[in-house]
């Protein structure tokens, strides 16, 4: 992006070092990150080590047999364990500063630490690039991107490989996908204040087993408002004790036949949450796995690497990891299609 002003008195070095200026920097660029904040708040970020992320799976169950007397007992060999394997992805954000800029930002006239400002900017840039991939299918940048909800909870869950397993060949590896306009004809034809709550109850009950069910729902503003409008003020229940707001939004608890589901609104300035979309997630099934030593941290120690023949420093922030859906049976996505006018 070109500077917003060409007057040298307002450009970078003097902005950072000129005396008697405010120290705070107003952010005119970065997107909000509600989805990543929600996942982190709910404990879904977990570290890993090694060259790959391997998820052991139970793919079959042993057969029971009723018998009496001299009946022959079956003991047919079965392979009940397998693995899904995910390759960690690498995300880097780099910047460089000349020695002239750094020296001009030292001493008593320094108000804003120029290097720290670049590091903060790189961190925000990385978070935004990360969240864009969070909604993607992993095909961007030649398949180098993280496999986000577009791959973990796709609009067509019966095709493609995920974790090295062919979904078309294994129905147990297929997450759910619903459309409010066509899949709930006994409730209504679309997502509005009348149908939203019974659709949530229907999906939660159908995608549950024992104490496992999709208790986290993340919706864009279009999908959130009909659900909120379906409840009177005394029915809108925030989390226990009022809950903690997630980037300005509290979880709206919805009672279902199997337990309460927390509904979050993912919106804000520059949000990349898809319109008319709801993700429903079972917390034990979804994880963001990352390498603890490369979790949005500088790649090089100190100020960075200085080229042999240049008075400058280069630095990168690095993140290594992947979003992993460990069990697709309880999670999916809902197209919150509004009724046809």
């Amino acid at each position: 992006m070109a500077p917003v002003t060409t007057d040298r008195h307002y450009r970078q070095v003097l902005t950072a070092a000129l005396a008697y200026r405010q120290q705070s920097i107003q952010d005119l660029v970065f997107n909000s990150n509600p989805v990543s904040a929600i996942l982190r708040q709910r404990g879904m970020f977990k570290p890993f080590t090694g060259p790959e992320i391997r998820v052991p799976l139970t793919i079959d169950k042993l057969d029971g047999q009723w018998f009496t007397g001299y009946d022959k007992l079956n003991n047919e060999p079965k392979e009940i364990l397998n693995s899904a394997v995910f390759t960690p992805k690498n995300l880097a954000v780099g910047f460089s500063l000349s020695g002239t800029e750094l020296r001009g930002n030292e001493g008593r006239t320094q108000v804003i630490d120029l290097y720290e400002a670049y590091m903060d900017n790189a961190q925000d840039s990385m978070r935004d690039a990360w969240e864009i991939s969070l909604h993607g299918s992993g095909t961007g940048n030649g398949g180098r991107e993280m496999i986000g909800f577009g791959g973990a909870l796709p609009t067509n869950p019966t095709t493609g490989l995920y974790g090295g397993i062919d979904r078309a060949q294994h129905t147990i590896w297929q997450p759910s996908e619903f459309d409010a306009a066509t899949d709930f004809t006994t409730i209504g034809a679309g997502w509005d204040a009348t149908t939203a709550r019974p659709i949530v109850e229907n999906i939660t009950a159908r995608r549950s087993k024992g104490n496992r069910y999709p208790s986290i729902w993340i919706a864009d503003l279009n999908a959130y408002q009909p659900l909120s409008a379906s409840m009177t003020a005394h029915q809108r229940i925030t989390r226990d004790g009022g809950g903690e707001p997630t980037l300005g939004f509290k979880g709206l608890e919805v009672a279902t036949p199997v337990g309460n589901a927390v509904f979050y609104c993912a919106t804000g300035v520059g949000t990349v949450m898809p319109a008319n979309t709801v993700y429903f997630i079972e917390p034990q099934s979804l994880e963001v796995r990352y390498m603890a030593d490369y979790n949005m941290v500088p790649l090089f120690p100190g100020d960075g690497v200085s080229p042999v023949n240049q008075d400058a420093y280069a630095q990168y922030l690095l993140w290594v990891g992947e979003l992993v859906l460990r069990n697709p049976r309880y999670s999916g996505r809902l197209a919150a299609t509004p009724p046809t006018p």
Side-chain angles (χ1 to χ4, degrees), residues 121-136:
N121 189 291
Q123 196 168 50
D124 286 339
S125 296
M126 176 168 283
R127 289 194 184 107
D128 287 334
W130 188 92
E131 192 186 7
I132 291 172
S133 295
L134 180 65
H135 296 284

Side-chain angles (χ1 to χ4, degrees), residues 187-188 190-199 226-227 229-230 339:
I187 297 175
W191 179 264
D192 59 20
T194 302
T195 63
R197 184 181 178 91
I199 288 176
L227 181 73
S230 72

Side-chain angles (χ1 to χ4, degrees), residues 306-330:
S306 180
V308 174
N309 61 344
Q310 287 182 305
D311 179 23
Y313 292 90
Q315 183 62 280
Y316 292 86
L317 281 186
L318 180 65
W319 184 84
V320 180
E322 182 65 284
L323 180 132
V324 175
L325 183 66
R326 292 156 46 90
N327 190 332
R329 299 183 68 185
Y330 311 102

Side-chain angles (χ1 to χ4, degrees), residues 53-310:
I53 303 169
R54 183 173 291 269
V55 179
L57 306 172
T58 299
I59 59 173
D60 204 346
K61 62 180 180 179
L62 299 174
D63 296 324
Q65 178 187 355
W66 297 97
F67 72 97
T68 185
Y70 287 100
D71 289 347
K72 292 183 179 179
L73 298 179
N74 295 328
N75 192 13
E76 182 181 352
K78 267 192 176 184
E79 185 175 298
I80 64 169
L81 297 178
N82 222 181
S83 287
V85 180
F86 299 86
T87 302
K89 304 298 172 38
N90 306 287
L91 174 62
V93 176
F95 64 90
S96 60
L97 289 167
S98 70
T100 300
E101 289 177 306
L102 292 174
R103 287 189 293 273
N105 185 237
E106 293 179 351
R108 297 175 60 185
T109 61
Q110 183 191 70
V111 174
I112 297 171
D113 187 319
L114 190 58
Y115 183 85
E116 183 177 344
Y118 266 78
M119 287 294 292
D120 291 343
N121 189 291
Q123 196 168 50
D124 286 339
S125 296
M126 176 168 283
R127 289 194 184 107
D128 287 334
W130 188 92
E131 192 186 7
I132 291 172
S133 295
L134 180 65
H135 296 284
S137 61
T139 58
N141 288 279
R144 296 178 179 87
E145 284 187 3
M146 176 178 70
I147 303 173
F149 288 140
L153 305 173
T155 55
N156 184 356
T158 63
T159 62
L161 296 177
Y162 186 67
I165 300 174
D166 189 346
R167 282 183 167 135
Q169 300 296 321
H170 304 281
T171 57
I172 62 173
W173 198 234
Q174 297 172 4
S176 300
E177 188 273 329
F178 296 102
D179 190 329
T182 57
D183 292 329
F184 305 94
T185 54
T186 59
I187 297 175
W191 179 264
D192 59 20
T194 302
T195 63
R197 184 181 178 91
I199 288 176
V200 171
E201 293 176 339
N202 185 291
I203 292 175
T204 306
R206 290 165 61 181
R207 306 317 304 158
S208 65
K209 187 174 183 180
N211 64 351
R212 300 188 69 172
Y213 68 96
S215 62
I216 298 175
W217 293 62
I218 301 174
D220 78 299
L221 184 60
N222 294 346
Y224 180 88
Q225 288 185 311
L227 181 73
S228 178
S230 72
M231 307 178 192
T232 61
H234 72 277
Q235 289 176 315
R236 296 191 182 103
I237 308 169
T238 55
R239 298 175 62 190
D240 293 343
E244 293 295 328
T246 300
L247 293 184
F249 293 93
K250 291 186 177 182
L252 181 67
E253 288 198 354
V254 180
T256 77
V258 294
N260 284 5
V262 184
F263 223 88
Y264 292 101
C265 181
T267 188
V269 177
T271 181
V272 293
M273 178 75 186
N276 299 313
T277 298
V278 183
Y279 304 123
F280 51 93
I281 302 166
E282 193 270 320
Q284 297 181 51
S285 300
L286 188 72
E287 296 175 348
V288 177
R289 305 297 299 272
Y290 65 92
M291 282 190 171
D293 291 338
Y294 304 101
N295 183 27
M296 298 187 183
V297 297
L299 179 59
F300 303 118
D303 289 339
V305 172
S306 180
V308 174
N309 61 344
Q310 287 182 305

